[in-house]
Amino acid sequence: QVHLVESGGGLVQAGGSLRLSCTASGSIVSIFAMGWYRQAPGKQRELVATLTNGGTTNSAVSVKDRFTISRDDAKNTVYFEMYSLKPEDTAVYYCYADASPYSDYQYKPFWGQGTQVTVSS
């Protein structure tokens, strides 16, 4: 299986920045896409940004031009920084990986436990 461990998050002032990282471990053949989703209280989980192994980025309109995302495939790690944070960015941020494990060689979604990000006004 694939296990995702997140780091970063916490309390940030509006206008500040945050840095998140996530490392995948386990019996991994390859990871197609890796990145972040978030879920605010009372709302559905939504895409923040993902990056494929081919270099394609997919992101939400609400964070466009306010983030950078990169990955180190040798370490199975994705890095994410977001700037000019707003109170509406407050949410639990979940690491996501579309990965293929050795158990069946089938790509499927895997999720981290989530890390709280709170933006104070």
Side-chain angles (χ1 to χ4, degrees), residues 7 15 26 30 32 57 70-71 78 81 86 88 98-99 113 118:
S7 63
S30 69
F32 173 64
T57 300
S70 62
R71 52 191 279 179
V78 63
E81 292 188 77
K86 308 172 185 179
E88 51 262 44
D98 184 12
Q113 298 258 13
T118 302

Side-chain angles (χ1 to χ4, degrees), residues 9-58:
L11 179 63
V12 185
Q13 285 193 333
S17 62
L18 72 88
R19 179 181 171 89
L20 303 175
S21 64
C22 173
T23 298
S25 62
S27 300
I28 302 168
V29 176
S30 69
I31 300 175
F32 173 64
M34 204 168 181
W36 298 88
Y37 282 69
R38 68 186 180 186
Q39 187 168 18
K43 295 188 176 181
Q44 290 189 330
R45 190 173 298 188
E46 63 176 7
L47 168 72
V48 179
T50 59
L51 178 63
T52 71
N53 54 8
T56 299
T57 300
N58 189 24

Side-chain angles (χ1 to χ4, degrees), residues 49-106:
T50 59
L51 178 63
T52 71
N53 54 8
T56 299
T57 300
N58 189 24
S59 65
V61 172
S62 60
V63 303
K64 185 176 173 59
D65 298 328
R66 295 196 293 129
F67 76 95
T68 59
I69 188 168
S70 62
R71 52 191 279 179
D72 183 338
D73 288 335
K75 297 179 179 179
N76 286 334
T77 298
V78 63
Y79 305 97
F80 176 78
E81 292 188 77
M82 193 157 68
Y83 315 97
S84 302
L85 288 170
K86 308 172 185 179
E88 51 262 44
D89 292 318
T90 295
V92 177
Y93 283 68
Y94 294 92
C95 181
Y96 162 86
D98 184 12
S100 169
Y102 277 105
S103 58
D104 59 11
Y105 292 84
Q106 299 295 317

